[in-house]
Amino acid sequence: MGGSPSIPSPPPPPDPNDAARANELFYKSSLETYIQKQPGIAALEQSLREKYSPRQRELERQMSSLDLQKSAQAGLQVERELGPQRSLETMRRQFEMSPNAFATQQGLGQQAALQFARLYGQSPMGAVQPGVQQSQGVGQVDYLSGLPTTRSS
């Protein structure tokens, strides 16, 4: 396989036995180097673990508590926005499903109100604070105001 003057001929193929010996030498020297340096690497890993693991655990605890706080706040906000609508929807469904049971519940509520009035001398609505008695709706709530902020470097 000769080449022309501008293209040199390719080198001969490597001897498989020489390649196998070279690979074996490289593998052995790599293993020896690893075994030789392994105690130093283990000590370095341990020192890094001791240095950074407590901080990592602390950050994980903070993140999980913030996640719990966020989910609780989201649930509260949904309940605050949709609570009255849900209770009205429940009453409407109850009336549609069983008007007799709805009427019974209404009657029991009126009877309880009369008993309260007889017992305490005032209507049940009078015993409730005016702000609770007639809600003016939900005011604007900022759920993020109490959360710590993260500053980007």
Side-chain angles (χ1 to χ4, degrees), residues 16-30:
N17 291 327
D18 290 344
R21 267 189 241 94
N23 284 340
E24 183 182 0
L25 271 174
F26 175 74
Y27 182 74
K28 281 183 180 177
S29 67
S30 295

Side-chain angles (χ1 to χ4, degrees), residues 19-79:
R21 267 189 241 94
N23 284 340
E24 183 182 0
L25 271 174
F26 175 74
Y27 182 74
K28 281 183 180 177
S29 67
S30 295
L31 273 178
E32 287 169 1
T33 304
Y34 177 77
I35 290 170
Q36 181 184 8
K37 297 195 179 216
Q38 203 264 344
I41 292 172
L44 176 66
E45 283 180 355
Q46 185 62 28
S47 68
L48 290 174
R49 245 186 230 114
E50 289 170 2
K51 183 176 180 182
Y52 292 110
S53 278
R55 177 71 179 141
Q56 180 180 351
R57 284 195 206 99
E58 179 188 345
L59 289 173
E60 287 169 356
R61 279 194 299 271
Q62 286 177 358
M63 291 301 289
S64 66
S65 66
L66 284 175
D67 283 346
L68 284 172
Q69 187 178 12
K70 283 281 198 187
S71 65
Q73 287 174 342
L76 284 173
Q77 189 168 6
V78 166
E79 188 59 37

Side-chain angles (χ1 to χ4, degrees), residues 84-101:
Q85 179 182 343
R86 284 182 182 163
S87 50
L88 280 175
E89 193 66 22
T90 304
M91 289 172 66
R92 183 188 64 77
R93 271 200 213 107
Q94 185 185 20
F95 180 74
E96 286 178 356
M97 296 294 287
S98 172
N100 290 336

Side-chain angles (χ1 to χ4, degrees), residues 77-143:
Q77 189 168 6
V78 166
E79 188 59 37
R80 188 179 287 221
E81 290 172 1
L82 302 179
Q85 179 182 343
R86 284 182 182 163
S87 50
L88 280 175
E89 193 66 22
T90 304
M91 289 172 66
R92 183 188 64 77
R93 271 200 213 107
Q94 185 185 20
F95 180 74
E96 286 178 356
M97 296 294 287
S98 172
N100 290 336
F102 183 81
T104 304
Q105 290 294 327
Q106 292 290 97
L108 288 173
Q110 290 171 355
Q111 182 181 2
L114 286 173
Q115 286 176 349
F116 186 96
R118 282 191 204 126
L119 188 61
Y120 296 107
Q122 62 177 348
S123 82
M125 291 300 280
V128 178
Q129 300 170 2
V132 176
Q133 194 179 79
Q134 296 294 324
S135 175
Q136 306 304 321
V138 178
Q140 190 65 28
V141 178
D142 181 17
Y143 287 105

